Amino acid sequence: MGVTLLVPDAAANITPDASDAGLRHVLHALPGVDQVGAEARAAMLASRSIKNEAKRTAIDLAISMVDLTTLEGADTPGKVQAMCAKALHPDPADDLVPPVAAVCVYGDMAGIARAVVGDRLHVAAVATAFPSGRAALEVKLADTAAAIERGADEIDMVIDRGAFLTGDYGTVFEQIAKVKQACGDAHLKVILETGELRTLDNVRRASWLAMAAGADFIKTSTGKISPAATMPVTLVMLEAVRDWHQRTGRRIGVKPAGGIRTAKDAIRYLVMVQEVAGPEWLTPDLFRFGASSLLNDLLLQRQRMATGNYSGPDYVSHD
Amino acid sequence: MSLEYAPAPESTDVVDIKAHYGLFIDGEFVEPIDGTTFTTINPATEGVLAEVSEAGPQDVARAVRAATTAHTRTWARMPGRERSKYLFRIARLIQERARELAVLETLDSGKPIRESRDVDIPLVAAHFFYYAGWADKLEHAGLGTSIRPYGVAAQIIPWNFPLMMLAWKIAPALATGNTVVLKPAETTPLTALAFADICQQADLPAGVVNILTGDGTTGRNLVEHPDVDKVAFTGSTEVGRAIQRAVAGTQKGLTLELGGKAANIVFDDAPIDEAIEGIVNGIFFNQGQVCCAGSRLLVQESVADQVTEALTQRLRTLRLGDPLDKNTDIGAVNSAAQHARITEYITAGENEGARRWTAPCAIPERGWWIAPTVFTEVSTAHRIAREEIFGPVLAVLTFRTPDEAVAKANNSPYGLSAGIWSEKGSRTLWMAQRLRAGVVWANTFNRFDPASPFGGFKESGFGREGGRHGLSAYIRSEVV
Amino acid sequence: MDTRVDVRKTYKLFINGAFPRSESGRTYPVSDAKGRFWANASLASRKDARDAVLAARGAQPGWAGATAYNRGQVLYRVAEMLEGRRAQFEDEVARSEGISSRKASGIVDAAIDRWVWYAGWSDKFAQVSGSSNPVAGPYFNFSVPVPTGVVAAIAPQDSALLGLVSVVAPIIVTGNTSVVVASQERPLPAVTLAEVLATSDLPGGVVNILTGDPAEVGPWLAGHADVNALDLTGVTDDGVSTQMQVAAADTITRVLADVTADWTIDPGLGRLRAFTEITTVWHPQGV
């Protein structure tokens, strides 16, 4: 399988085969990431102070970027239906609150979700033997096809971290490319599971690998591994999509998932999106939050700004 | 869409600026005997903040006398463990009043509140904590067993890090048993005067710390006073030279922390994104008014275009404006004089044929501002590549090999700091060994810590501040 | 009966490992302590000083780049060579300083031992003078002493050998190179020491020895922009000392003055510190 990649530090394009050696050549030519420097940059961005009108705008934007998620073994149709209802009308008392971007469920629940949200929201399904990614390729493809058949228009796949860590980049590439093929018109989000990749160098390489193989979004985590999304990891992924756009003209989305629970955190991420990738990424088409409890905190903060008083947990719905 | 940050100004309610300040001598605020007054201005608004006293020769004599008496009668006799506790008290008081001091510093100097709050003031407290712990351990510092302070230290500090420079001077001097007469810069006296109040709150014995406000004349009178035993100066190389001449032939100890023209060297294997941050922090921190600023960017030719492009993209996100706004990255330059000096260099750079790029920032109507400026196509012979500008102006030069990078970096009368950006450890260490600079930041820049010695080679001065080495600046060395 | 006529030595300068006469062609008569003519020494000029600085600068990177172990070996070699020629030094010290040969012998002992003492510091000074600094952040931070560069020294006027050795050895052991103006009245042991240095594996230019008038060449050395530090130990005239310190300020040259000249006591580390800079290196610690 041939693929065109751009070596980041040279003007020349190269066309390696998707063999381990060809991909290694490209991925290991990417600049390294200094962990301490990246963390310092993320911390500086986190110190931005977003007040008043900016905060109101940011909260609504953040709500519209939420992939409201339930990914439990104990999920039932009732639970999924309740979540979908909330996704459509996050605050029943306030019609001005925008809907979230999508609901995110296991593939077998995609049909239940689609029945509730209709075409008003995206339905994202996790696939490819989520969360471990440990299954035969045929199983992963079947998993993907089944979710799409049930109405998912976004697929959140996991990469084979074992293959990545062992340097078997060809396998990772091939699986992403085949899943992308199986997706058809559905958007593909590629979960890197950065908590298992451990280093920011790996995050950068995995981001480029996923983009090269056809990802529409790169996503940090399954939410099942700690640490999940962090500011420094998301920073490196935002740098990757920025640089990819500069070289290919194509904008890839970013989705931090897991661990983002407060409005304050969400706003910090938005600041980072704006200052690192650019304001063009401040849209649900290019940035999402994979979260469940975040939405309620966004709503509480929204109520607090609307009424001037602090709200309480009894004034938002719990599913 | 884009997220417009609403103004987020830090409240000034925490500061209480008096209309007039006297001199702090012998534990009290007193009016000058033969001095006059001057005003200190907020460089972001050009508004007057306060009227401050200018110490005359008799005031200098009075302060030196108070310091001498305090030294012989109190401070030098006091056991180190007791001196130590005074320094700990001061450190705690600084922490307690951190917000007030940060706002005051920003009002008086023009630096962004983000920096005074997150960098300057925490480092001030940390410096006192660090040297507090040394006061009763001096014989273990590896500087000999008979530790003798100089006596009275005359200390003159600049306007770029007013309270931090005060801490760097006063903390080691007091820890080693010296008493001090300190003169803050005439454009930034307010935090030093607040520090005088902190000395009172700490019940520091009278005369141990004396603060004389004034200009260069006051400073010269202080340096030349015959009862001064030690002079410590941070500021321009030009004034440092004059001070070194003034103390020639006397028994006075001298340490100087002067100018710089640091090379920030980026190799093609650098962690580029972090290097960009390091370049930005290196030259735009405190509007570039930093003696160790990375004002010369030396970038390997193979990545020069990539780095310059990424840098200018990054600079577009810098926010210039109200220094009190928590989101401001670039504050006001310190004075009209400094503004004129920087502007003159920018003109010189253009006239010499370098290519100027200026960040697209809206410049406020009042106050003194310089938008981040980058010069490319700079030759090593250009003034902007050789002279210290002390402003947000970066000169970009290129190199091809590590040898060339070292040669270009060292080709300067200065030698204060340098930066190296590379993921190759062996080359980084090879470079660090060859750079004639007192501080070498590898894959970072403009980091400071009380435990880390700071100071220069060559015309950047001599002596170190910070760390164990910083003690020797205040201990009379017995050389046989 | 025939008396053999001895072959006398021409005392010259020591620059860049060679023994040139002063470029000025000047000499001055040197007497022994009893005032009897002994020899003509070269009277160094400002151009000789300039040449010496050039030689010292040229030798500096290589000498500083040698391993500390290697520099220690070279200094120890100097001690060995000095030991081998001790009779000559005893004679010259006795004649120069007007002391008994027994006393002179003790001084030569001390001078040899001082080389040995400083030789041992070559690979230890950085350990006691450097540090690893526990900064409040994820950085490895260390400080190391590095040589200041070229050091110009005015050697002690009284102690022609021991004083000279006590000044030169601490300058060079850390990797500096030097230009030394020998005792004006008692320069001959210095020139003989140069012969020892020339045969001790010491690279040419690391030590350059001038004979002559400190008041004449001193200010040129002090004002020389390529001299990094001054050692004024041997300057006896306060006016000259001040003049040199003022000249030094032009390029912020480091100055060692106000020295207690007692060559019999433990020298301590003051001289090593005076001619070293501290470089502090920061590096992040991360994965």
Side-chain angles (χ1 to χ4, degrees), chain A residues 18-20 23 137 160 163-164 168-177:
Chain A
S19 68
D20 291 342
L23 289 165
L137 178 57
D160 182 341
F164 181 89
D168 189 0
Y169 300 133
T171 297
V172 182
F173 184 97
E174 188 196 1
Q175 292 193 0
I176 297 170

Side-chain angles (χ1 to χ4, degrees), chain A residues 201-260:
Chain A
D201 289 324
N202 279 343
V203 171
R204 174 166 289 173
R205 288 171 188 158
S207 298
W208 280 73
L209 182 59
M211 293 188 293
D216 298 301
F217 257 79
I218 48 177
K219 175 175 168 183
T220 59
S221 326
T222 61
K224 305 297 182 191
I225 293 287
S226 183
T230 65
M231 291 276 289
V233 157
T234 310
L235 170 76
V236 170
M237 291 167 66
L238 287 165
E239 289 166 352
V241 298
R242 174 199 67 195
D243 293 346
W244 183 264
H245 170 253
Q246 202 188 330
R247 284 159 181 76
T248 66
R250 184 160 172 252
R251 290 201 172 91
I252 307 294
V254 175
K255 177 178 171 183
I260 305 167

Side-chain angles (χ1 to χ4, degrees), chain B residues 462-478:
Chain B
F462 44 75
R464 292 294 177 267
E465 296 184 287
R468 182 172 68 81
H469 298 86
L471 292 170
S472 59
Y474 291 95
I475 292 172
R476 211 178 259 289
S477 176
E478 303 286 352

Side-chain angles (χ1 to χ4, degrees), chain C residues 63-132:
Chain C
W63 179 239
T67 63
Y69 177 56
N70 182 234
R71 287 198 305 272
Q73 299 261 298
V74 171
L75 262 69
Y76 185 75
R77 180 74 177 155
V78 173
E80 288 178 346
M81 301 312 277
L82 226 164
E83 186 83 55
R85 291 173 64 168
R86 60 174 306 136
Q88 187 182 3
F89 280 101
E90 282 169 14
D91 175 52
E92 288 192 353
V93 167
R95 283 181 75 183
S96 287
E97 299 183 12
I99 54 178
S100 70
S101 58
R102 191 154 157 263
K103 227 171 166 185
S105 175
I107 285 176
V108 173
D109 286 347
I112 295 167
D113 291 354
R114 189 131 300 163
W115 280 111
V116 173
W117 193 75
Y118 277 115
W121 272 117
S122 71
D123 50 8
K124 296 163 196 72
F125 179 63
Q127 291 184 302
V128 300
S129 171
S131 55
S132 125

Side-chain angles (χ1 to χ4, degrees), chain B residues 142-144 237 240-241 244-245 247-251 256 258 428-429 432 435-444 447-449 451-453 455-459 461-462 464 468-469 477-480, chain C residues 128-131 133-136 139 141-143 146-149 228 242 245-246 248-256 258-260 262-263 265-267 270-271 273 277-284:
Chain B
L143 297 168
T237 294
R241 256 192 271 281
Q244 192 177 351
R245 285 189 194 113
V247 304
T250 70
Q251 305 288 308
L256 298 171
L258 309 175
T428 297
L429 292 172
L435 290 169
R436 306 283 293 161
V439 184
V440 175
W441 285 293
N443 289 2
T444 187
R447 298 279 158 204
F448 308 94
D449 192 277
S452 179
F457 283 50
K458 302 192 279 186
E459 290 195 23
F462 44 75
R464 292 294 177 267
R468 182 172 68 81
H469 298 86
S477 176
E478 303 286 352
V479 177
V480 293
Chain C
V128 300
S129 171
S131 55
N133 309 307
V135 296
Y139 299 92
N141 177 301
F142 63 96
S143 297
V146 295
T148 295
N228 301 104
T242 302
Q245 290 181 52
V246 168
D250 283 350
T251 51
I252 317 293
T253 299
R254 288 93 174 102
V255 178
L256 177 67
D258 304 325
V259 170
T260 316
D262 181 351
W263 309 116
I265 61 174
D266 180 334
R271 287 182 170 274
R273 271 195 221 106
E277 309 284 336
I278 296 295
T279 287
T280 297
V281 181
W282 292 66
H283 198 290

Side-chain angles (χ1 to χ4, degrees), chain A residues 6 10 32 52-53 71 76 85 94 102 120 172 183-184 191 221 227 233 252 255 276 283 298:
Chain A
L6 294 108
N52 305 326
E53 198 47 47
L71 294 169
T76 58
D94 187 350
R120 287 173 291 174
V172 182
C183 280
I191 301 172
S221 326
V233 157
I252 307 294
K255 177 178 171 183
V276 176
T283 154
L298 287 165

Side-chain angles (χ1 to χ4, degrees), chain B residues 247-407:
Chain B
V247 304
T250 70
Q251 305 288 308
K252 293 173 188 175
L254 177 66
T255 43
L256 298 171
E257 205 271 89
L258 309 175
K261 191 73 187 176
N264 201 358
I265 304 165
V266 179
F267 284 99
D268 60 5
D269 66 344
I272 297 287
D273 286 293
E274 291 70 45
I276 297 294
E277 293 310 308
I279 295 164
V280 171
N281 187 41
I283 185 62
F284 301 116
F285 177 59
N286 199 23
Q287 296 73 249
Q289 302 167 133
V290 183
C291 49
C292 53
S295 51
R296 287 185 294 155
L297 174 62
L298 288 180
V299 56
Q300 197 156 18
E301 278 188 13
S302 51
V303 289
D305 291 344
Q306 184 192 348
V307 167
T308 317
E309 170 62 23
L311 177 64
T312 50
Q313 282 303 324
R314 171 69 176 87
L315 295 182
R316 289 172 198 276
T317 68
L318 289 180
R319 304 171 63 84
L320 177 145
D322 180 6
L324 281 171
D325 192 306
K326 294 170 201 163
N327 293 323
T328 290
D329 300 316
I330 307 286
V333 299
N334 186 253
S335 63
Q338 190 57 24
H339 184 271
R341 176 188 162 93
I342 299 166
T343 308
E344 198 264 315
Y345 272 111
I346 292 174
T347 308
E350 288 179 316
N351 291 343
E352 287 181 313
R355 180 192 290 269
R356 179 177 62 81
W357 181 89
T358 302
C361 300
I363 301 292
E365 275 183 20
R366 297 193 64 80
W368 299 302
W369 311 89
I370 303 272
T373 301
V374 177
F375 278 102
T376 50
E377 296 170 31
V378 178
S379 134
T380 49
H382 289 164
R383 281 180 66 204
I384 54 169
R386 303 201 63 78
E387 297 173 22
E388 183 178 47
I389 299 173
F390 226 62
V393 182
L394 178 68
V396 184
L397 300 100
T398 60
F399 69 92
R400 293 159 298 178
T401 64
D403 285 313
E404 188 182 356
V406 169

Side-chain angles (χ1 to χ4, degrees), chain A residues 185-204:
Chain A
D185 292 335
H187 268 224
L188 176 62
K189 304 198 197 95
V190 177
I191 301 172
L192 310 179
E193 195 64 305
T194 54
E196 289 184 343
L197 302 184
R198 304 310 294 178
T199 71
L200 294 175
D201 289 324
N202 279 343
V203 171
R204 174 166 289 173

